[in-house]
Amino acid sequence: VVTLKETNKNSSLLLRYTATNYNANGSHSRLNGNGFARNDIVEFTIVTDKRSGFKHARNITMIQSEHARLEEEREKAMLESATMEQGTVVTLKENFGFLRSNRRREEVY
């Protein structure tokens, strides 16, 4: 049993869940199927056990993993400092190639 932290403007609430409550079919699910990591953004339904009053998370779906969020931040920071250049295509192979800038001698992958 693991806990999810639900946050809203006024408070936070820890919710229990098990692996069986995880919807691994989401578009951002982990490739290895290990579920969640700390700070992943998820969407879920809250249910309350009538006898105990405990709240549980069900139908949990990954919205964005912390790893993907950090990758997006790194890419954004890299693009903010990038310069626009012109050049020519030197080589093409399946899904990648090499470019040569008009300003530089070296090729760019």
Side-chain angles (χ1 to χ4, degrees), residues 3-67:
T3 57
L4 286 175
K5 186 173 183 180
E6 177 199 32
T7 56
N8 59 36
K9 294 177 185 174
N10 302 323
S11 66
S12 65
L13 171 69
L14 292 178
L15 303 168
R16 296 171 186 241
Y17 78 93
T18 62
T20 59
N21 303 124
Y22 174 48
N23 177 9
N25 297 327
S27 61
H28 298 289
S29 62
R30 297 203 187 286
L31 295 176
N32 59 11
N34 287 341
F36 308 117
R38 187 175 193 88
N39 295 323
D40 287 349
I41 299 172
V42 296
E43 182 176 74
F44 53 91
T45 303
I46 299 174
V47 297
T48 304
D49 185 312
K50 290 183 180 181
R51 280 188 267 154
S52 67
F54 288 139
K55 296 186 183 289
H56 300 273
R58 298 290 188 261
N59 303 319
I60 307 166
T61 303
M62 176 84 67
I63 302 296
Q64 184 181 39
S65 72
E66 177 70 358
H67 176 75

Side-chain angles (χ1 to χ4, degrees), residues 20 65 76 78 88 92 100 104 106:
T20 59
S65 72
K76 183 179 176 185
M78 209 170 33
T88 57
L92 285 176
R100 180 172 292 131
R104 310 165 194 250
E106 70 269 8

